[in-house]
Amino acid sequence: MTLPPRLENKFSELLKRYPVKRSALVPMLLYTQDVFGYIGDEMVAEIARRLDLNTLQVTETLVYYSMLRREPAGRCHVQVCTNIACKLRGGEKLWEHAQKRLGVGHKQTSADGVFSLEEVECIGACTGAPAVQVNYDFHENLTPEKLDKILDEFQAGRKPSPAPYIIGSIHERHPAEAPVISRRFGIPNSRKIDVYRKHEGYQALEKALNEMTPESIIEEVKKSNLRGRGGAGFPAGMKWSFVPKDSPKPKYIIANADESEPGTCKDRPLMEFDPHQLIEGMVIAGRSVNSYQGYIYVRGEYRYVLDIMDEAIREAYEHGFLGKNILGSGFNFDLCTHTGAGAYECGEESALMESLEGKRGYPRIRPPFPAVVGLYGCPTVINNVETLSSVPSVILKGAEWYANLGPARNGGTRLFCISGHVNKPGIYELPMGFNLLRMINEVAGGVRGGKKLKAVVPGGSSTPALKAEECDIPMDFDSLAKAGSMLGSGGVVVLDEDTCMVDFARRIMKFYAHESCGWCIPCREGTSWIKKILDRFHAGGGRAEDIPLIDEAAKNMFGRTFCPLGDAAAMPTMAIVKKWRHEFEEHLNGRCPYKPLDVPVGV
Amino acid sequence: MTDFEPVQLEALLADFEETRESLIPLLQEVQTQYCYLPEFALRRIASKLSVSLTDVYQVATFYSCFSLVPVGKHVVQVCLGTACHVRGAPRVLDRMLRDLKLGTPGTTQDMQFTVRSVRCVGCCGLAPVVRVDNNTHPNMTQAKVRGMLKKYRSKEDRPAGEADEVDDAEARVHS
């Protein structure tokens, strides 16, 4: 079958990236969809032929990923986010408006074929909420009027300019901020290699390659108290040290850029403004475990970020920071990007590796851990983008300096994405252990409209919400664990006094029910049943016995699944039932007593 | 009862209609009565219901609750479904096999127990779960295995010296 030249080129380039052909499957499907608008049977057969798979294998993988479709959509595919951060700022009203305006519903296409509509889960624009993606373009900080204007432009065949960068990432620095990994945000052309090198770029790599041994790099990272920024907070140096030194197998470095935790949007600006920082961190990580191949797994929705990363990688090769004999040290390291195609589950490390191998993103049982048996069965270091982006600073300025930025056992700084009911939503780099109340009241400008604070989700929707009186707390892994929550991924979602916690729990569970991969029964059944109960409960059909039932169902999900998605769905639910039980009881008379101001007002 | 008694089978067959629809209920009944499906019974059922022996055989081998070999007095099903797996069922199974001196799941020499690993029995909230006959044992641990088996082992079959501890052990397990 003859393909359009650009697709043909993309395919042959993709096939060169992986030691196993099947790995190219998901990117091939997504690029096919970009060209044809959908993935038809002939293309399924063609891709199967090229990857030595059968069509069934291609199809079963295709149907797993939410961005891939087998039917044509409209020329402009309008995706409205209604997940928590957007919901709190009117995402659901925007979604209703979009349906009315376009006259179509979820996953439907308008009669003229111009528009199709989809309600989507968190697209990583939480500080620019409410947000909409049209094809791959982000439009943030919307109101129904602004959305109408954008749709008018598309209707007229023009392409309105998308948000120039993620709203909330560039702002006047608050004095409390300690810019380390975000210090180059806002510098013109910061993503270009020349600018990066002018601002300390690749100096850490030089130091690591010329002055340090793999062991001393790991030792330095251990001493820095750099802990995993993806959510679990596992010490990065420790993780690297688990890679067996004497293994004859190839070793892999993976940057987890499948950022999809609701409320989190920090990896996006890190790659958008400072892609070379990530590359530098990955090469150093590669050096420390003697790996010669890295992958950056970027979520499918972040297409422009993927393009930025690809360009940065090209530049890095050109300047000799990637490839053979880097900086004359004799160390070789290759790096390439890999695109996902819409699946929250693929942000879980073992599912991510399955996905990178071209399969459905199902989690693997641990042990063995990825450090021993990971990608293609080989030792693999898999870290969050923010973790790897912190490595150059650790190496360049020293572990002690980095560790001292934060409290004990919680080194460095953290990008906090503060969203929801605050006056100045944004991405702020603050020292670890920064007080949460100060973060909300001083850094983010306080609760919107002078309202009282009701609750805060401290680190993405998976983390148990804190009551207002619990918020006087240092934001580090240990303090939050002690308070029964988690620092998580740094997505701080602020809720004011008018928010209905039952509705909030319902929206959280809707997300997990949508994203549960279905591998483990407790999660697959638990999330969808709890969602059904909460739907009914919030709509006025609640019964007193539902309250313990919700709690019980969540408990029965907790700790009974391969990956933490089941726990992530259970934890916030149990916390809300426990801490805001009275709000459930207030719903028992058949209606919701809360009148949230969720009209889309933008930032 | 594992000895085959043709007379009993005839009495049993008389309760069912001689149609193909009776096949599975009949096999279930034979399985319940004899703890397995003896070859003679399969042949007799085939001729009685006028279906081929192959048909009977393919049905008998499809369903996991049928067995063509004699099974022990108690059938122990160790759930290795996802939730049980995550919460340590493989260790429970290992311990059980060691205690019963079995290398792999199967039937003990004294025909007291048949150990099987099964997939999800549908009570993940109680994981890890072991089912013995029709009883469900929730939240199993390695430490609970011995006491649980003792409870089922018939008095006369118990190795000397074990008999009196049984109830105490069980009481401790549940306390």
Side-chain angles (χ1 to χ4, degrees):
Chain A
M1 182 178 179
T2 327
L3 300 177
R6 66 178 161 133
L7 195 57
E8 189 64 62
N9 293 340
K10 198 74 210 176
F11 277 12
S12 50
E13 191 229 318
L14 282 172
L15 282 171
K16 285 188 212 123
R17 289 187 185 180
Y18 311 98
V20 175
K21 269 189 185 177
R22 183 169 180 161
S23 281
L25 177 55
V26 176
M28 277 167 100
L29 289 168
L30 192 59
Y31 285 108
T32 299
Q33 179 170 293
D34 290 349
V35 172
F36 296 107
Y38 70 109
I39 303 152
D41 288 345
E42 326 78 64
M43 279 310 296
V44 167
E46 177 64 17
I47 290 171
R49 194 183 62 73
R50 289 179 184 230
L51 297 180
D52 299 329
L53 299 171
N54 59 44
T55 51
L56 194 62
Q57 288 170 305
V58 174
T59 312
E60 61 117 21
T61 310
L62 190 165
V63 295
Y64 175 89
Y65 294 93
S66 65
M67 286 173 70
L68 302 176
R69 51 180 180 260
R70 309 207 60 193
E71 303 287 332
R75 180 164 56 76
C76 307
H77 189 51
V78 182
Q79 299 144 80
V80 183
C81 174
T82 59
N83 209 313
I84 51 171
C86 284
K87 173 190 164 65
L88 293 175
R89 298 188 79 92
E92 283 174 338
K93 289 271 154 40
L94 202 62
W95 166 239
E96 279 166 28
H97 178 80
Q99 292 181 87
K100 240 181 272 161
R101 149 88 205 224
L102 297 175
V104 292
H106 180 56
K107 289 198 174 176
Q108 290 176 346
T109 308
S110 63
D112 57 4
V114 178
F115 291 108
S116 50
L117 194 57
E118 188 175 351
E119 182 186 11
V120 291
E121 299 298 347
C122 188
I123 52 176
C126 313
T127 54
V132 166
Q133 234 187 332
V134 181
N135 300 333
Y136 288 117
D137 289 345
F138 283 88
H139 297 274
E140 297 174 9
N141 199 358
L142 293 178
T143 58
E145 297 73 37
K146 282 194 203 167
L147 180 63
D148 277 343
K149 267 191 207 135
I150 290 166
L151 296 178
D152 286 341
E153 289 284 296
F154 278 114
Q155 187 84 55
R158 290 187 291 269
K159 187 174 177 291
S161 48
Y165 48 78
I166 173 169
I167 305 290
S169 56
I170 306 267
H171 46 72
E172 206 179 309
R173 290 284 183 187
H174 188 274
E177 279 194 87
V180 175
I181 48 175
S182 69
R183 66 186 186 276
R184 282 175 288 260
F185 285 18
I187 297 174
N189 293 318
S190 59
R191 64 180 73 138
K192 304 298 290 180
I193 194 162
D194 298 332
V195 178
Y196 182 64
R197 292 186 70 185
K198 257 183 227 145
H199 294 87
E200 303 177 310
Y202 289 111
Q203 291 175 10
L205 181 60
E206 274 191 66
K207 185 175 169 191
L209 292 181
N210 298 331
E211 299 167 28
M212 299 173 83
T213 62
E215 292 74 29
S216 67
I217 297 173
I218 293 182
E219 214 34 59
E220 196 74 2
V221 175
K222 271 189 186 167
K223 270 195 294 185
S224 75
N225 290 334
L226 170 62
R227 293 171 65 169
R229 302 298 199 238
F234 194 81
M238 186 100 83
K239 203 183 226 183
W240 298 4
S241 69
F242 292 156
V243 173
K245 300 269 169 312
D246 44 358
S247 168
K249 293 178 181 170
K251 297 161 194 79
Y252 295 101
I253 305 288
I254 301 176
N256 184 346
D258 191 62
E259 174 173 72
S260 21
E261 176 73 21
T264 314
C265 51
K266 62 189 172 58
D267 299 345
R268 194 179 142 199
L270 276 172
M271 292 186 287
E272 168 170 9
F273 292 118
D274 215 344
H276 284 287
Q277 183 172 239
L278 173 60
I279 296 173
E280 188 175 4
M282 290 187 76
V283 184
I284 295 170
R287 170 69 167 180
S288 77
V289 298
N290 200 18
S291 154
Y292 55 79
Q293 176 70 58
Y295 292 101
I296 305 173
Y297 186 108
V298 184
R299 70 181 294 196
E301 288 86 345
Y302 286 3
R303 170 53 61 82
Y304 79 100
V305 175
L306 189 82
D307 294 340
I308 290 170
M309 273 323 304
D310 276 337
E311 171 60 15
I313 288 171
R314 194 193 59 73
E315 282 185 325
Y317 268 107
E318 212 175 84
H319 286 75
F321 295 113
L322 284 173
K324 298 261 175 288
N325 192 17
I326 297 170
L327 298 172
S329 63
F331 175 63
N332 307 329
F333 190 75
D334 285 309
L335 181 61
C336 54
T337 57
H338 179 94
T339 179
Y344 171 70
E345 176 57 15
C346 292
E348 194 278 327
E349 57 178 15
S350 65
L352 184 148
M353 292 187 296
E354 286 284 303
S355 175
L356 189 42
E357 291 176 12
K359 303 176 207 153
R360 303 183 128 216
Y362 284 149
R364 298 174 181 168
I365 189 78
R366 275 142 295 180
F369 289 93
V372 183
V373 181
L375 186 63
Y376 310 122
C378 300
T380 303
V381 165
I382 174 161
N383 279 131
N384 181 261
V385 168
E386 192 185 348
T387 316
L388 288 164
S389 293
S390 302
V391 170
S393 302
V394 170
I395 297 297
L396 190 63
K397 306 204 172 151
E400 205 177 317
W401 170 83
Y402 189 82
N404 285 337
L405 290 170
R409 292 183 306 281
N410 288 272
T413 58
R414 181 113 224 227
L415 282 181
F416 290 102
C417 324
I418 311 179
S419 62
H421 297 145
V422 288
N423 282 316
K424 291 192 286 181
I427 302 161
Y428 302 93
E429 184 166 5
L430 295 161
M432 276 285 204
F434 195 83
N435 184 285
L436 177 56
L437 265 189
R438 279 189 64 203
M439 198 183 286
I440 296 164
N441 291 332
E442 296 174 25
V443 181
V447 180
R448 194 177 68 177
K451 296 272 182 190
K452 275 206 323 235
L453 181 67
K454 179 185 265 187
V456 179
V457 175
S461 71
S462 308
T463 57
L466 301 172
K467 288 164 113 168
E469 55 268 33
E470 294 173 300
C471 288
D472 190 6
I473 188 176
M475 288 288 273
D476 61 63
F477 289 106
D478 300 326
S479 304
L480 277 158
K482 217 184 285 165
S485 187
M486 288 169 76
L487 185 59
S489 57
V492 180
V493 186
V494 179
L495 284 64
D496 73 15
E497 56 186 327
D498 294 334
T499 314
C500 171
M501 294 308 285
V502 177
D503 194 29
F504 193 68
R506 178 195 66 80
R507 188 59 188 86
I508 289 179
M509 195 49 77
K510 183 179 173 196
F511 169 72
Y512 290 105
H514 181 262
E515 298 296 342
S516 175
C517 75
W519 182 254
C520 308
I521 301 105
C523 170
R524 183 187 70 207
E525 298 300 314
T527 52
S528 46
W529 276 106
I530 298 173
K531 174 191 165 276
K532 280 180 205 173
I533 299 170
L534 285 168
D535 274 347
R536 170 168 55 75
F537 203 104
H538 185 250
R543 298 173 306 216
E545 61 265 34
D546 289 330
I547 305 171
L549 180 64
I550 293 165
D551 192 46
E552 179 73 15
K555 281 200 181 99
N556 282 343
M557 194 156 61
F558 188 82
R560 289 173 172 83
T561 51
F562 269 32
C563 88
L565 196 147
D567 301 350
M571 286 185 302
T573 310
M574 293 189 295
I576 293 175
V577 173
K578 188 172 159 208
K579 295 180 186 176
W580 287 278
R581 200 184 180 93
H582 59 281
E583 294 203 12
F584 283 85
E585 283 155 4
E586 285 160 15
H587 279 73
L588 289 175
N589 65 4
R591 56 180 196 89
C592 173
Y594 294 89
K595 293 271 168 290
L597 174 77
D598 61 352
V599 287
V601 290
V603 181
Chain B
M1 182 185 321
T2 52
D3 291 334
F4 174 61
E5 292 171 44
V7 186
Q8 275 199 350
L9 178 66
E10 291 308 320
L12 205 148
L13 280 172
D15 287 346
F16 288 86
E17 281 188 45
E18 290 176 16
T19 62
R20 166 101 202 209
E21 286 70 41
S22 300
L23 180 54
I24 290 176
L26 198 43
L27 290 175
Q28 282 172 327
E29 197 54 39
V30 173
Q31 175 79 42
T32 313
Q33 297 264 331
Y34 299 95
C35 297
Y36 83 115
L37 305 175
E39 182 181 331
F40 185 88
L42 297 185
R43 291 184 183 280
R44 182 74 190 94
I45 289 167
S47 74
K48 183 88 174 169
L49 302 185
S50 308
V51 295
S52 70
L53 184 59
T54 325
D55 272 354
V56 176
Y57 183 75
Q58 57 122 330
V59 170
T61 51
F62 178 82
Y63 295 99
S64 62
C65 64
F66 296 138
S67 169
L68 297 187
V69 291
V71 295
K73 190 174 271 174
H74 302 290
V75 176
V76 182
Q77 299 180 314
V78 182
C79 179
L80 291 183
T82 312
C84 292
H85 189 120
V86 172
R87 292 180 78 87
R91 290 193 294 278
V92 172
L93 178 61
D94 276 355
R95 179 59 176 267
M96 180 110 46
L97 294 177
R98 245 184 301 143
D99 276 9
L100 294 174
K101 301 192 172 55
L102 287 169
T104 52
T107 304
T108 54
Q109 268 193 334
D110 61 3
M111 298 302 285
Q112 282 286 320
F113 295 104
T114 293
V115 180
R116 288 182 183 147
S117 66
V118 293
R119 300 297 144 173
C120 196
V121 294
C123 45
C124 307
L126 306 177
V129 166
V130 171
R131 275 179 65 81
V132 184
D133 305 331
N134 283 325
N135 304 323
T136 303
H137 295 259
N139 301 316
M140 279 301 291
T141 61
Q142 294 193 64
K144 288 183 184 175
V145 167
R146 176 158 295 180
M148 186 197 77
L149 291 175
K150 269 184 198 166
K151 192 180 150 205
Y152 287 96
R153 199 185 287 276
S154 358
K155 255 194 179 129
E156 62 272 27
D157 293 324
R158 271 182 217 138
E162 271 191 12
D164 297 324
E165 304 165 18
V166 176
D167 291 334
D168 290 353
E170 192 58 18
R172 276 202 306 279
V173 166
H174 286 291
S175 62

